[in-house]
Amino acid sequence: MATKKLILNAVLLSSCCLPLFAQEALNFKVLNQSPVVNADSTATFIISAPAATKVAISGLTAEPLAMNRDADGKWVLTTPKLAPNLYTYSIDIDGVRTVDPSNVYTARDISSLSNILIMPGGNADLYAVRDVPHGSVSKVWYNSPSLDMSRRMTVYTPAGYEDSKEKKYPVLYLLHGMGGDEDAWNELGRASVILDNLIAEGKVEPMIVVMPNGNAEKAAAPGYTGEGMYIPDGSFSKAQAGKFENSFNDIVNYVDSHYRTIADKDHRAIAGLSMGGGHSWRISLSNPDEFGYVGLFSAAVRWNGTGGIDETEDLIVPLKRQFSNPPSLYWIGIGKDDFLYNLNEDYRKLLDKNSIPYEYHESAGGHTWSNWRDYLTIFLPRLFKGK
Amino acid sequence: MATKKLILNAVLLSSCCLPLFAQEALNFKVLNQSPVVNADSTATFIISAPAATKVAISGLTAEPLAMNRDADGKWVLTTPKLAPNLYTYSIDIDGVRTVDPSNVYTARDISSLSNILIMPGGNADLYAVRDVPHGSVSKVWYNSPSLDMSRRMTVYTPAGYEDSKEKKYPVLYLLHGMGGDEDAWNELGRASVILDNLIAEGKVEPMIVVMPNGNAEKAAAPGYTGEGMYIPDGSFSKAQAGKFENSFNDIVNYVDSHYRTIADKDHRAIAGLSMGGGHSWRISLSNPDEFGYVGLFSAAVRWNGTGGIDETEDLIVPLKRQFSNPPSLYWIGIGKDDFLYNLNEDYRKLLDKNSIPYEYHESAGGHTWSNWRDYLTIFLPRLFKGK
């Protein structure tokens, strides 16, 4: 039997060795090997744009980098040294913002696509896929009775989850900002890659990470609903204010009933960026017995409409209630140049005045994915390890 | 308690209503509402390319469509009537092939990105996300002892799968072509969307669909392995010939041990396109008791190296063995203009001569995703319904 199979396979080999052939609108030919990351932390780009008069790359440096036309008519550029990071960049060809024709790695944010380039080193090595055990990433639909809607979310289960029928895991709920959706933390935030790498290094507890859609008026990211491929504009109507937070228990209930979770406060975390930081802030405030770890990344904490904190008893009372049995970690991170810096400063003063404990991480930079990825790598190792 | 929560939420609303704000390399502004699908089955495109001298759209029609510059300096075009379908198109701006800056819906194939446009009607309505119950789509890593590798695959579980702990499902293994990977059938093939829609219509049995990576030398699609974001070139080395097929039981074993499958021949199907059709052909041939349904889409069935079938006893013997207890369905589909048409014609003659039963679907067109999506919609309703 074994011999027979071997013969069979040997004879059948030839259908494997088809010549390359063209398919519909397909391109087997590599345009340019570009970008190339060089050993000295620069990157070299080549773009064929024979008729262009001006080509530049945006997103790598503070100002766009102008490319130069070489003798063959190609546009080339070797960048200055770039700090280790994951960069999202685009190409400007005579005033048209587009993606790099030689780079198929893109991420969508709101209504635009950008290319991805990873300059290795430091934290950036956590953003690159490595040869480590990988968790699963699933797009899952859950029923939200509060919103009377079936809704899409991204769920990361760590390597090994599928191999057991018994082992239970803690859960992190990870919330996006106003321009995002259930794809954002995994695409631009590289959440599953960061988790895989930090778990493999033994620095982070294996956990389930749930990334829902924070826009209560949409079932899913653009292109994944019956609305079809509408153009996302990132705007949220006032009518939905509070709706997502009030429906949040639908998500927790779904997760606790469909995944092997440790369903208690000590094994449940919530964190988010910007609007999702505001969501995390309010959801943890409204549900003081549910979340033992809270992360506020560039968070839109309660806003008085003009840039400060609206400090009244109806804020102080629930805060004191939340901290009567405090979370194991209440973590605030923000960049010095963030437009929400003053708001967060006001909020910290309020916490200080009321003797409410928290940890504070102040970084350089502003309201950026670069900061949010970085905050995630700092926040994750702190989870589910007690006080 | 309920009252208190209500008050809390009302007071906390204001942080929801942030003005729009800029983020890193983000664009909240919609460039152009483009493309717009018109009621008369045309589509209108608007592209801002102020310095361009020639702009054209490829992929919608046999020849590229030249756009026209309007009075405002924008490039505009209303297409001729387009037949209902899912189109992948690109924009040529002065000789640079790029994606449409106004359309964030793209799919990668091999080394290029294209935009997606759906012209509704007919089968194309099966390719659009609708308000129906949605299955889950997961990127899962399985261990392949035969290849000594952990490998990535896409798994679709139908709506309702997550809500039961008991119900078991049949499985379709769906294999990509030489230029593809584990993302191809779901992105360009729209497999999960087609499944959701046909299951909701009651035409297709709820099933698990497993879409593995058929390139035995790669663990995963470009960008998802430790090799990083290499540029895919679609080429397969001869060294891997037969390896994927010989490792296929690793996939079946993983699926049967990790999902609620009905693990028998009557509830297991295999189908693929082009090279994946060749894989399906050989795997079902080598494992005659495992697959009750076989789909060969533009399939690279055994090739004699010059375009015909190599008809020898070591082909006929296993074929007769496979058909001694025949699959419930052995389905062959190909387009009249497909470069593998003659090969498939030779194969059908061989089947006829040996009185081996099959079903044959001949379509217009060639070696295209348009045909493969269409074949899938014809093949799926036939599965798991007996002879």
Side-chain angles (χ1 to χ4, degrees):
Chain A
M1 181 70 182
T3 312
K4 197 161 195 176
K5 198 162 180 178
L6 197 69
I7 293 168
L8 183 66
N9 285 317
V11 174
L12 297 174
L13 288 185
S14 51
S15 75
C16 240
C17 310
L18 283 175
L20 297 185
F21 47 80
Q23 295 187 52
E24 174 187 39
L26 301 192
N27 188 359
F28 274 93
K29 196 167 150 248
V30 174
L31 288 173
N32 297 298
Q33 191 71 33
S34 170
V36 173
V37 173
N38 304 310
D40 64 352
S41 298
T42 64
T44 299
F45 294 77
I46 305 174
I47 289 170
S48 301
T53 57
K54 197 176 166 193
V55 179
I57 304 177
S58 294
L60 301 175
T61 47
E63 297 297 318
L65 293 167
M67 300 188 77
N68 305 303
R69 188 196 287 269
D70 74 4
D72 297 333
K74 288 190 175 177
W75 294 82
V76 295
L77 174 77
T78 294
T79 68
K81 281 183 198 300
L82 299 172
N85 209 339
L86 183 151
Y87 293 86
T88 51
Y89 72 94
S90 62
I91 308 286
D92 188 297
I93 302 178
D94 283 343
V96 181
R97 180 199 185 282
T98 184
V99 293
D100 184 344
S102 296
N103 184 350
V104 295
Y105 303 105
T106 59
R108 177 184 62 78
D109 206 355
I110 320 169
S111 59
S112 59
L113 283 181
S114 297
N115 287 104
I116 289 178
L117 170 74
I118 296 178
M119 180 57 67
N123 251 15
D125 291 344
L126 295 174
Y127 311 150
V129 175
R130 298 192 213 154
D131 281 331
V132 299
H134 298 294
S136 298
V137 177
S138 301
K139 302 297 180 181
V140 173
W141 291 76
Y142 70 98
N143 184 39
S144 177
S146 311
L147 296 173
D148 192 21
M149 218 189 265
S150 179
R151 309 188 75 237
R152 187 172 180 259
M153 60 185 175
T154 303
V155 179
Y156 169 86
T157 49
Y161 181 90
E162 317 285 348
D163 295 327
S164 167
K165 295 215 185 322
E166 306 300 332
K167 191 180 174 192
K168 295 187 173 187
Y169 292 84
V171 183
L172 164 64
Y173 294 87
L174 191 56
L175 310 183
H176 63 79
M178 187 174 280
D181 51 54
E182 72 274 19
D183 293 339
W185 259 114
N186 207 49
E187 289 191 9
L188 284 156
R190 307 287 284 180
S192 64
V193 179
I194 292 170
L195 265 291
D196 281 351
N197 289 332
L198 285 174
I199 291 171
E201 289 181 6
K203 292 179 178 161
V204 164
E205 292 295 309
M207 67 182 78
I208 298 166
V209 182
V210 176
M211 296 162 263
N213 185 316
N215 182 342
E217 293 179 343
K218 302 288 186 191
Y224 291 97
T225 76
E227 290 182 67
M229 294 185 165
Y230 66 87
I231 308 283
D233 65 5
S235 68
F236 279 34
S237 85
K238 289 191 179 183
Q240 74 156 281
K243 275 190 183 174
F244 175 70
E245 300 91 308
N246 291 343
S247 75
F248 200 77
N249 273 331
D250 294 345
I251 298 172
V252 176
N253 288 340
Y254 181 90
V255 170
D256 282 339
S257 60
H258 289 75
Y259 292 85
R260 299 193 312 273
T261 65
I262 310 173
D264 64 28
K265 177 173 173 173
D266 286 343
H267 300 89
R268 199 182 285 125
I270 189 166
L273 69 91
S274 194
M275 179 187 79
H279 287 161
S280 302
W281 173 74
R282 271 179 290 148
I283 291 165
S284 65
L285 190 69
S286 305
N287 300 277
D289 302 320
E290 285 198 37
F291 299 94
Y293 299 81
V294 179
L296 309 178
F297 303 174
S298 308
V301 289
R302 186 160 81 166
W303 173 279
N304 67 4
T306 61
I309 286 282
D310 190 15
E311 179 184 345
T312 53
E313 275 307 296
D314 51 75
L315 172 58
I316 303 305
V317 169
L319 256 180
K320 289 195 166 169
R321 190 182 58 188
Q322 180 179 10
F323 281 84
S324 67
N325 175 19
S328 299
L329 178 65
Y330 196 80
W331 193 93
I332 297 172
I334 195 157
K336 287 188 174 108
D337 303 328
D338 197 303
F339 77 102
L340 293 178
Y341 185 88
N342 291 344
L343 180 72
N344 275 262
E345 190 175 35
D346 279 2
Y347 184 58
R348 286 187 290 115
K349 284 180 187 163
L350 179 150
L351 295 175
D352 292 340
K353 195 167 74 181
N354 289 279
S355 304
I356 290 174
Y358 61 92
E359 288 195 27
Y360 180 56
H361 175 79
E362 187 169 295
S363 70
H367 210 69
T368 65
W369 273 107
S370 175
N371 271 340
W372 302 326
R373 282 186 295 265
D374 194 40
Y375 300 166
L376 186 64
T377 67
I378 299 168
F379 184 68
L380 285 173
R382 302 293 307 281
L383 297 184
F384 313 124
K385 292 182 177 169
K387 295 183 192 192
Chain B
M1 182 68 182
T3 313
K4 197 161 193 176
K5 198 161 180 180
L6 197 70
I7 292 168
L8 182 66
N9 285 318
V11 173
L12 296 175
L13 289 187
S14 51
S15 76
C16 240
C17 311
L18 284 176
L20 298 185
F21 46 81
Q23 295 187 50
E24 175 188 37
L26 300 192
N27 188 359
F28 274 93
K29 198 168 148 246
V30 175
L31 288 173
N32 297 298
Q33 190 71 35
S34 171
V36 172
V37 172
N38 303 310
D40 63 353
S41 298
T42 63
T44 300
F45 293 76
I46 305 175
I47 288 169
S48 301
T53 58
K54 197 176 166 193
V55 179
I57 304 177
S58 293
L60 301 175
T61 48
E63 296 298 318
L65 294 166
M67 300 188 76
N68 304 302
R69 188 196 287 271
D70 75 3
D72 297 334
K74 288 189 174 174
W75 295 82
V76 296
L77 174 78
T78 295
T79 67
K81 281 183 198 299
L82 299 172
N85 210 338
L86 184 151
Y87 293 86
T88 51
Y89 72 93
S90 62
I91 308 287
D92 188 296
I93 302 178
D94 283 344
V96 181
R97 181 200 185 279
T98 184
V99 293
D100 184 344
S102 296
N103 183 350
V104 294
Y105 303 106
T106 59
R108 177 184 62 80
D109 206 355
I110 321 168
S111 60
S112 59
L113 283 180
S114 298
N115 287 104
I116 289 177
L117 171 75
I118 295 178
M119 180 57 68
N123 251 15
D125 290 346
L126 296 174
Y127 311 150
V129 175
R130 299 192 211 154
D131 281 332
V132 299
H134 298 294
S136 298
V137 177
S138 301
K139 302 298 179 182
V140 173
W141 290 76
Y142 71 97
N143 184 38
S144 177
S146 311
L147 296 173
D148 192 21
M149 217 189 265
S150 180
R151 308 188 76 237
R152 187 173 181 259
M153 60 183 175
T154 302
V155 179
Y156 169 86
T157 49
Y161 181 89
E162 317 286 346
D163 296 327
S164 168
K165 296 218 187 317
E166 305 300 333
K167 192 179 174 191
K168 294 187 171 185
Y169 293 83
V171 182
L172 164 64
Y173 293 87
L174 191 55
L175 310 184
H176 62 80
M178 186 175 281
D181 52 54
E182 72 274 18
D183 293 339
W185 259 114
N186 206 48
E187 287 190 10
L188 283 157
R190 307 288 283 180
S192 64
V193 179
I194 291 170
L195 266 291
D196 281 351
N197 289 332
L198 286 174
I199 291 171
E201 289 182 6
K203 291 178 180 162
V204 164
E205 292 295 310
M207 67 182 78
I208 298 166
V209 183
V210 176
M211 295 162 265
N213 186 317
N215 182 341
E217 293 179 342
K218 302 289 186 190
Y224 291 97
T225 76
E227 291 181 67
M229 295 184 166
Y230 66 89
I231 307 284
D233 65 4
S235 68
F236 279 35
S237 85
K238 289 191 179 184
Q240 75 157 281
K243 276 192 183 175
F244 176 70
E245 301 90 310
N246 291 344
S247 75
F248 201 76
N249 274 331
D250 295 344
I251 298 173
V252 176
N253 289 340
Y254 182 90
V255 170
D256 283 338
S257 60
H258 288 76
Y259 292 85
R260 300 193 313 273
T261 65
I262 310 173
D264 63 29
K265 177 174 175 174
D266 286 344
H267 299 88
R268 197 183 286 125
I270 189 165
L273 69 91
S274 193
M275 178 188 79
H279 287 163
S280 301
W281 172 75
R282 271 178 291 147
I283 292 165
S284 66
L285 189 68
S286 306
N287 300 278
D289 302 320
E290 284 199 37
F291 299 94
Y293 299 81
V294 179
L296 309 178
F297 303 174
S298 309
V301 289
R302 185 160 80 168
W303 174 279
N304 66 5
T306 61
I309 286 281
D310 189 15
E311 181 183 345
T312 51
E313 274 308 297
D314 50 74
L315 172 59
I316 302 305
V317 169
L319 255 180
K320 289 196 167 169
R321 188 181 58 185
Q322 181 180 10
F323 280 84
S324 67
N325 176 19
S328 299
L329 179 67
Y330 196 80
W331 193 94
I332 296 172
I334 195 158
K336 286 186 175 112
D337 303 328
D338 197 304
F339 78 101
L340 293 178
Y341 184 88
N342 291 344
L343 181 71
N344 275 261
E345 191 176 34
D346 279 1
Y347 185 56
R348 285 187 290 115
K349 284 180 187 160
L350 178 150
L351 295 176
D352 292 340
K353 195 167 73 180
N354 290 281
S355 303
I356 290 173
Y358 61 92
E359 288 196 27
Y360 180 56
H361 174 80
E362 186 169 294
S363 69
H367 210 69
T368 65
W369 273 107
S370 175
N371 270 341
W372 302 325
R373 282 186 294 265
D374 194 40
Y375 300 166
L376 185 64
T377 67
I378 298 167
F379 184 68
L380 286 174
R382 303 292 307 282
L383 297 183
F384 313 124
K385 292 180 177 169
K387 296 184 190 191

